[in-house]
């Protein structure tokens, strides 16, 4: 599996795996005396995805330049860590779906996957089942009739699952607060050669983001890979969580779901 380099911001390092693009090494010399790249250096060196968004923290999407600047400012201004699963927050509010929407998370799988189309369909269904089995409130609904026109412009589904060719990540997803134009799960062919990370668990991890769950390793208990403070804990820290990168001091190497993960789902969305 490919390991991507990261930069240190505000004395906190974020290590990324091939589930997504890293916050890359600065393209130019960091700001004098601070060891912190300027915003311009940071923006220039951050991977920009095919739809114009920026991918940070491994596989999390920042929709545009304004949000990227806010993200940078949070990192630079974060001089300490704050005190399973954790949910993303936006302006202090949980980033989650409404009760009605989480029970109807419709998606399509692009026919552009070609010979691998049915394999992606199966991996999506089994990845979704990990979350659906934890809470009866959650229902990912596959709409096969939309596969032939499976893009973010197809309004018959909430999100699309599309192929991508990139060396920056295996797959990346989105949060509930992401703009509609960027609500897609993008999957690279490397999903089929990721060792102990099965396609089911990789897509399960990404679908965790679509439900609002953050990387578990941003918690202070992991001792590394800090991302930012915009999250709320739902459970005790879980180093084996499906949302915890193994190479960020995780204790599971296959991204499988744990009982603590399931408890976190129930805490956010109910039984």
């Amino acid at each position: 599996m490919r390991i991507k380099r990261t930069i240190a911001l505000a004395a906190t390092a974020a290590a990324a795996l091939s589930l997504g693009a890293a916050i890359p090494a600065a393209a130019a010399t960091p700001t004098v005396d601070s060891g912190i790249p300027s915003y311009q250096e940071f923006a220039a060196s951050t991977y920009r995805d095919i739809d114009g968004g920026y991918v940070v923290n491994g596989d999390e999407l920042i929709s545009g330049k304004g949000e990227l600047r806010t993200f940078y400012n949070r990192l630079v201004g974060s001089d300490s860590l704050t005190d399973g699963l954790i949910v993303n927050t936006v302006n202090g509010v949980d980033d989650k779906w409404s009760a009605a929407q989480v029970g109807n998370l419709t998606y399509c799988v692009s026919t552009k996957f070609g010979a691998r189309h049915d394999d992606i369909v199966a991996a999506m269904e089994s990845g979704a089942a990990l979350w659906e089995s934890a809470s009866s409130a959650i229902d990912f609904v596959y709409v096969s009739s939309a596969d032939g026109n499976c893009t973010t412009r197809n309004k018959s589904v909430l999100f699309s699952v599309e192929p991508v060719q990139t060396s920056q990540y295996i797959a990346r997803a989105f949060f509930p607060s992401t703009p509609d134009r960027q609500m897609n799960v993008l999957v690279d062919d490397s999903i089929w050669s990721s060792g102990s990370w099965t396609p089911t668990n990789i897509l399960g991890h990404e679908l965790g983001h679509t439900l609002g769950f953050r990387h578990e390793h941003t918690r202070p208990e992991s001792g590394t890979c800090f991302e930012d403070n915009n999250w709320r804990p739902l459970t005790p820290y879980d180093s084996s969580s499906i949302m915890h990168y193994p190479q960020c001091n995780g204790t599971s190497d296959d991204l499988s779901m744990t009982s603590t993960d399931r408890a976190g789902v129930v805490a956010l969305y109910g039984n």
Side-chain angles (χ1 to χ4, degrees):
M1 57 186 71
R2 298 183 300 276
I3 305 172
K4 304 302 176 184
R5 293 187 62 200
T6 63
I7 60 173
L9 291 179
T12 56
L17 270 66
S18 53
L19 275 180
I23 302 175
T29 304
T31 305
V32 176
D33 295 331
S34 70
I36 299 172
S38 69
Y39 169 70
Q40 289 75 19
E41 293 165 344
F42 172 70
S45 64
T46 299
Y47 178 69
R48 195 157 197 185
D49 217 340
I50 59 173
D51 55 9
Y54 296 88
V55 179
V56 300
N57 292 341
D59 57 354
E60 296 173 3
L61 184 65
I62 298 289
S63 61
K65 289 184 177 179
E67 291 85 352
L68 185 69
R69 183 60 187 253
T70 299
F71 177 84
Y72 171 85
N73 289 343
R74 287 200 307 260
L75 288 178
V76 172
S78 298
D79 57 3
S80 64
L81 306 181
T82 65
D83 290 334
L85 287 183
I86 56 177
V87 62
N88 189 50
T89 59
V90 178
N91 297 323
V93 178
D94 289 351
D95 189 3
K96 58 178 287 190
W97 298 108
S98 67
Q101 186 66 81
V102 80
N104 190 36
L105 299 171
T106 57
Y107 68 93
C108 56
V109 177
S110 175
T111 54
K112 292 182 179 179
F113 282 105
R116 284 293 194 177
H117 175 267
D118 290 350
D119 296 328
I120 290 290
V121 169
M124 278 292 297
E125 289 181 340
S126 55
L130 297 174
W131 301 100
E132 293 167 337
S133 66
S135 171
S136 60
I138 298 171
D139 192 8
F140 286 95
V141 181
Y142 172 43
V143 182
S144 60
S145 60
D147 285 357
N149 184 31
C150 187
T151 71
T152 56
R153 295 184 297 276
N154 191 332
K155 301 307 177 185
S156 66
V157 291
L158 181 66
F159 68 95
S160 56
V161 183
E162 304 175 59
V164 68
Q165 293 183 345
T166 180
S167 61
Q168 297 294 312
Y169 54 76
I170 295 175
R172 77 105 172 109
F174 58 91
F175 288 122
S177 59
T178 299
D180 291 351
R181 68 183 183 278
Q182 292 169 328
M183 279 196 177
N184 52 13
V185 176
L186 300 181
V187 184
D188 181 71
D189 276 347
S190 54
I191 194 171
W192 309 114
S193 56
S194 299
S196 61
W197 298 3
T198 66
T200 290
N201 288 354
I202 290 172
L203 290 178
H205 173 101
E206 297 304 327
L207 291 177
H209 287 314
T210 73
L211 291 169
F213 300 119
R214 288 289 303 274
H215 289 140
E216 185 78 355
H217 49 256
T218 194
R219 294 200 194 203
E221 292 95 327
S222 77
T224 187
C225 300
F226 172 68
E227 296 172 353
D228 62 46
N229 294 322
N230 294 297
W231 49 269
R232 179 177 70 85
L234 299 166
T235 68
Y237 171 67
D238 180 11
S239 62
S240 296
S241 171
I242 190 174
M243 302 308 295
H244 199 306
Y245 281 177
Q247 292 182 349
C248 291
N249 288 339
T251 54
S252 171
D253 63 1
D254 62 1
L255 293 178
S256 57
M257 181 171 275
T258 70
S259 59
T260 304
D261 287 329
R262 288 187 282 273
V265 178
V266 172
L268 188 63
Y269 287 112
N271 287 306

